[in-house]
Amino acid sequence: MGLPPPLAAAVIETPPSLTTVPVDLGPKSYPVRIGPGALGLLGEEILARGFRPGVRVLVVTNPDVDGPYGDRACRSLEQAGFRSERLVLEAGEDQKTPATVSRIHQAAYDLQLERGSLIVALGGGVVGDMAGFAAATWLRGIAVVQVPTTLLAMVDAAIGGKTGVNHPGGKNLIGAFHQPSLVLVDPCTLETLPPRELQAGMAEVIKYGVIADPVLFEALEGHGSLAGLGDLGPALLDRILRRSATAKARVVAADEREGSLRAILNYGHTLGHVVETLTGYRRYLHGEAVAIGMVAAGILSRELGLWNAAEEERQRQLIARTGLPLEAPPLEAEAVRECLLRDKKVRDGRVRFVLPTRIGAVELRDDVHLEAALSALMQTTPARS
């Protein structure tokens, strides 16, 4: 499945230090601004997007992010003339519920957020999803600015306007499309990110290589260890952030609401969400589950004759070098079937799978037998591998 124009064409250098990757959605367009020290420019960047001084801003974050970065973000907002308050929520995927969004709504009410106000999501994908959903539903929609502080959120979750929370029966079943006004990426915030969280983010980076960017995939293959921030180094990290953001922006610009092309961003997610859901969102981080899902999708694609064993092995080896898991836990077959059929991507009772045909290209398939997908996932378990 092809993408619109080449990656390099979408990146605009903006002096002195931030790079801009535009997300072209007509009147809903916005920039992804990337660079060391970007967090200190938060207030200025919001002013540059047309917000006036004096506007009320609710900063939603969690304790792990608030400690090192909350004061810096609020100070930047206040220096630009905004009136800011903070809401600190507990961290974790299990907090991603309608009840937590109600807390954000209550804070918006207490702060008297108006239609010209905005919410800033300062944190990882969970914070971004919940704050974005709260913004989408407060007063029928107010502005949100995404300030991702995890690698996974920087390269994927913060870009594209998908917001939402989990339902007990499945991940992200409750949500809305609500594009941010700005995405501000400061790679310095990764310095306090636990190594496991960084590794989880690398799953989404590898995903972009498999679905759309063989140049990025090969750069990762040729780099050596990928398990830690020090292993990546600033040059590769910058390349990862730019190319991943650009790939995501191109797909979103071509298909904002996942009518067709945008579904390729779900590579590894359909089976990964099964792993997350059936383990109660506690055993695996999102990126870890996606890694397992990509391994299973690679097996499924090979068994269907869509790609060869050599390319499947390239993907497996790259995932392994990040320290990500390759094996699913033992799961009940019937529970897997039920979870797949309740996936939000089901169309007319058929599960849609994103399957690779080569490194850099994938297909959307809704003709895959459920038993074939189940078999591929079960082949990743220790007992069957």
Side-chain angles (χ1 to χ4, degrees):
M1 179 166 286
L3 292 178
L7 288 167
V11 177
I12 302 170
E13 292 294 343
T14 311
S17 59
L18 300 188
T19 296
T20 300
V21 175
V23 183
D24 186 3
L25 291 168
K28 293 185 287 184
S29 296
Y30 56 91
V32 180
R33 299 273 280 157
I34 305 169
L39 183 59
L41 302 174
L42 176 60
E44 294 178 30
E45 290 289 322
I46 293 175
L47 285 176
R49 295 298 297 157
F51 292 90
R52 58 180 176 77
V55 164
R56 294 185 178 94
V57 180
L58 174 62
V59 178
V60 180
T61 188
N62 66 44
D64 298 332
V65 176
D66 183 50
Y69 306 116
D71 286 345
R72 191 184 311 174
C74 288
R75 185 164 56 248
S76 179
L77 289 167
E78 288 156 11
Q79 288 173 346
F82 297 107
R83 292 181 286 171
S84 68
E85 294 288 343
R86 253 177 286 184
L87 175 63
V88 182
L89 303 170
E90 290 302 312
E93 185 76 27
D94 59 346
Q95 300 297 312
K96 198 170 143 181
T97 66
T100 307
V101 172
S102 292
R103 290 188 58 196
I104 304 175
H105 286 153
Q106 185 60 50
Y109 178 82
D110 293 341
L111 191 56
Q112 297 181 313
L113 293 191
E114 303 169 349
R115 285 185 174 168
S117 304
L118 70 146
I119 291 175
V120 169
L122 177 65
V126 171
V127 165
D129 280 359
M130 292 193 299
F133 186 47
T137 49
W138 183 250
L139 302 179
R140 296 188 176 91
I142 66 171
V144 64
V145 168
Q146 295 281 354
V147 185
T149 60
T150 67
L151 181 60
L152 188 148
M154 288 176 182
V155 301
D156 190 73
I159 305 166
K162 275 190 176 181
T163 72
V165 294
N166 300 331
H167 180 276
K171 187 177 172 71
N172 294 329
L173 293 181
I174 306 164
F177 287 96
H178 188 59
Q179 298 296 339
S181 297
L182 166 72
V183 179
L184 190 65
V185 176
D186 187 342
C188 295
T189 60
L190 297 177
E191 293 173 3
T192 55
L193 190 68
R196 185 183 174 192
E197 292 275 2
L198 187 87
Q199 291 166 355
M202 286 300 297
E204 297 285 359
V205 176
I206 294 170
K207 175 193 80 175
Y208 284 117
V210 174
I211 69 172
D213 192 352
V215 174
L216 176 59
F217 192 96
E218 290 165 7
L220 297 173
E221 279 186 309
H223 188 73
S225 176
L226 300 166
L229 190 61
D231 295 328
L232 296 179
L236 181 60
L237 177 59
D238 180 67
R239 193 174 191 185
I240 284 170
L241 295 176
R242 293 186 190 207
R243 294 191 75 93
S244 298
T246 302
K248 180 73 177 275
R250 288 165 60 220
V251 173
V252 170
D255 179 18
E256 181 187 358
R257 299 178 70 86
E258 202 168 299
S260 56
L261 177 65
R262 185 167 175 168
I264 70 172
L265 297 173
N266 292 316
Y267 178 57
H269 287 58
T270 301
L271 293 169
H273 285 171
V274 169
V275 173
E276 282 186 281
T277 300
L278 296 183
T279 55
Y281 305 110
R282 291 184 177 87
R283 179 166 176 175
Y284 297 99
L285 298 176
H286 174 64
E288 293 171 337
V290 167
I292 295 169
M294 288 194 294
V295 172
I299 293 170
L300 180 57
S301 194
R302 171 178 49 78
E303 293 189 337
L304 292 174
L306 298 178
W307 74 346
N308 59 45
E311 294 212 313
E312 180 201 351
E313 184 60 21
R314 286 178 66 192
Q315 176 186 255
R316 180 187 291 269
Q317 289 299 323
L318 190 54
I319 292 171
R321 281 174 43 218
T322 65
L324 286 162
L326 301 171
E327 299 175 337
L331 299 169
E332 291 294 330
E334 191 53 42
V336 173
R337 292 188 191 97
E338 177 72 12
C339 198
L340 280 170
L341 288 171
R342 292 185 179 275
D343 188 274
K344 65 182 185 297
K345 296 177 288 298
V346 170
R347 297 288 186 275
D348 300 321
R350 294 183 176 186
V351 183
R352 268 198 308 181
F353 289 94
V354 184
L355 298 176
T357 57
R358 65 178 188 276
I359 300 298
V362 292
E363 288 184 357
L364 295 176
R365 299 289 293 263
D366 64 0
D367 59 347
V368 177
H369 289 295
L370 213 58
E371 295 307 307
L374 173 64
S375 171
L377 182 60
M378 293 305 187
Q379 286 180 59
T380 72
T381 63
R384 303 197 181 195
S385 58

